[in-house]
Amino acid sequence: MASHLHPKPQLRLDRALFKARPRESLLIIAYALCLYLLPLALFVWVANTASPLWVAVCSPLVVLAGYGLFLQAILGHEGFHFNLSENPLHSCYLGIATSALLPGFCVTGYFVDHWQHHRYSNSEKDPDYRLFSRYHTLASRITLSRLMATLSYMQATWRLAFGPLSTPSPLPLSAVQVQRLARCNIACQAGWLGVYGLAMWRVDGLLLGFSLSLAMAFLISAVNAYQEHAFDAGHQLPPARSRTSRLNTWLHAGSNFHLEHHFYPAVPCWRLPKVHRQLLDAGWYADRQYLLEKHFVRSFRYASSRHPYRGNTVSDTHP
C-alpha cells in the first residue's frame, strides 16, 4: 500500500449524503441527457437550415454536447459505485444503460480496474497509474491514452462476459452477476449503436453533429485523467485534484470534486460540492491549496508535459 501523505479527513459527514435516492438519480440522468441531446439537436437544426457561417458560429454547441456525452460515462462510474440506486445491481444496470450511449466505453471492464484505482490510488498497483503515467506529451495524452484505455476496458468486458468464471471478482458481486453485467454492457453498446445508425439514416446532419460531439467527448475524457491526477513536478506525493469552478461543476455534475470522491466514493457526485464546502469550513484545505484548481480554462494545462502523472500518492484505502 502506498504511503498516506494526505489521509482521509477526520470529518463526520451526514449519513444522508451517502443515501441513494431514485428521484435524484433520475434527475441527474435527465440532466446529462439534456446536456447531450439538446445542444446536439440545435446544432443539427442549424446545420440543416443555415449557412456555413452560422454553422461555424454555433460550433460551441458540439462542445456542450461532448460534455453531455462524457457525462454518460460519469453516470456509468456512479452506477458501479452503487450511487444510483440502493440496490447495487440496479445501480450497475442503470450505469450500463446510460454509459453505453458513449460508443466504445464499456463501464463493466473499466470498473473492475477502478476498484483497484481507489484501493491503490497513484501507486504501482493502481491500473490508472500504470496506464496514464506512460504518456508524457500533450499529443500522446489526448490521443493514445484514452484510445488505449478504451480498448483495455472493451477487452476486459469481453473477457468478463465470455471468459471463465473461476477468477474471483474484485467487485462486491458474484462472478455470475459480473458476467451478466458484462453481457448486458455489450448488448447495450450494440443496441445504442443500432439506434444511432437508424437516427443518422433518417436525420440529415446528425452524422456530422454526432461525430463532432463524440470527438469532443473523446478529448474531454482524455484530458480529464490528467486534470485529476497530474501535478507540477515540484509537488511531492500529491493525491487527486478537485476543480472548483462553477462551470466545471455544471459540466461535470459535481464529479470535478475528485479528491472528495476519493475520500468518500459512496457519496453521489452531485453531492460532492457540499462535501467540499464542509472540508473548507473545517479548514482541511488551509495548507493544501495546490490540491485545488479554481479556474476552468487553467485546468486544461495539466494535460501538458509539465505536469507528470506520478505514483505513490494514495488518498484512500478502501473502494
Side-chain angles (χ1 to χ4, degrees):
M1 187 73 67
S3 61
H4 286 250
L5 182 66
H6 297 275
K8 186 173 181 176
Q10 299 301 307
L11 181 67
R12 181 172 294 180
L13 298 180
D14 184 351
R15 296 306 302 174
L17 288 172
F18 297 85
K19 183 178 177 59
R21 298 187 181 95
R23 289 185 180 179
E24 284 188 11
S25 299
L26 291 177
L27 284 174
I28 202 70
I29 290 172
Y31 170 75
L33 286 173
C34 288
L35 187 60
Y36 170 36
L37 295 177
L38 294 182
L40 176 59
L42 183 55
F43 177 82
V44 171
W45 178 77
V46 171
N48 286 332
T49 59
S51 66
L53 176 60
W54 274 107
V55 175
V57 169
C58 293
S59 59
L61 289 170
V62 299
V63 178
L64 284 178
Y67 271 101
L69 191 51
F70 172 68
L71 266 187
Q72 309 308 315
I74 297 297
L75 290 175
H77 166 272
E78 291 297 308
F80 274 74
H81 268 299
F82 311 142
N83 291 339
L84 297 181
S85 172
E86 290 183 302
N87 184 305
L89 272 179
H90 291 173
S91 182
C92 291
Y93 281 116
L94 270 175
I96 286 172
T98 54
S99 64
L101 270 81
L102 181 56
F105 178 65
C106 293
V107 67
T108 309
Y110 157 75
F111 218 83
V112 167
D113 279 350
H114 190 70
W115 282 89
Q116 302 306 312
H117 169 66
H118 273 268
R119 185 172 179 82
Y120 302 109
S121 181
N122 287 24
S123 74
E124 293 289 345
K125 295 182 179 181
D126 175 7
D128 278 13
Y129 169 74
R130 294 196 302 267
L131 175 62
F132 293 112
S133 65
R134 71 182 69 171
Y135 301 104
H136 305 288
T137 66
L138 177 62
S140 63
R141 286 179 169 185
I142 65 176
T143 54
L144 292 176
S145 69
R146 183 49 56 186
L147 176 62
M148 297 308 295
T150 299
L151 291 174
S152 174
Y153 305 148
M154 290 175 64
Q155 292 170 355
T157 301
W158 192 266
R159 287 195 301 270
L160 291 170
F162 304 109
L165 293 175
S166 57
T167 302
S169 169
L171 297 170
L173 301 170
S174 72
V176 172
Q177 288 173 325
V178 173
Q179 182 187 66
R180 290 172 179 169
L181 289 169
R183 291 178 176 179
C184 176
N185 205 161
I186 293 171
C188 285
Q189 279 281 322
W192 280 119
L193 286 174
V195 171
Y196 283 137
L198 180 61
M200 290 175 196
W201 178 59
R202 298 179 64 90
V203 179
D204 292 339
L206 182 57
L207 176 59
L208 173 64
F210 173 75
S211 299
L212 293 175
S213 301
L214 181 59
M216 287 306 309
F218 181 89
L219 291 174
I220 292 164
S221 61
V223 171
N224 191 71
Y226 299 97
Q227 289 176 309
E228 292 174 343
H229 287 283
F231 285 79
D232 292 332
H235 290 141
Q236 298 299 313
L237 303 182
R241 170 184 292 106
S242 285
R243 291 162 285 165
T244 63
S245 77
R246 290 184 180 180
L247 184 55
N248 261 315
T249 302
W250 178 52
L251 294 174
H252 292 263
S255 65
N256 47 298
F257 292 94
H258 195 62
L259 182 55
E260 282 76 7
H261 169 65
H262 270 260
F263 288 147
Y264 306 102
V267 174
C269 64
W270 53 93
R271 297 185 195 144
L272 291 177
K274 185 173 183 179
V275 175
H276 177 72
R277 289 192 293 272
Q278 292 189 28
L279 288 177
L280 287 176
D281 292 342
W284 191 85
Y285 276 114
D287 57 350
R288 298 179 173 96
Q289 288 298 301
Y290 77 96
L291 301 176
L292 303 177
E293 175 52 68
K294 300 178 182 179
H295 303 281
F296 176 76
V297 174
R298 287 182 60 187
S299 68
F300 289 90
R301 63 192 170 124
Y302 301 111
S304 71
S305 59
R306 292 180 54 194
H307 301 88
Y309 194 124
R310 295 177 295 127
N312 196 28
T313 63
V314 80
S315 58
D316 195 13
T317 57
H318 301 286

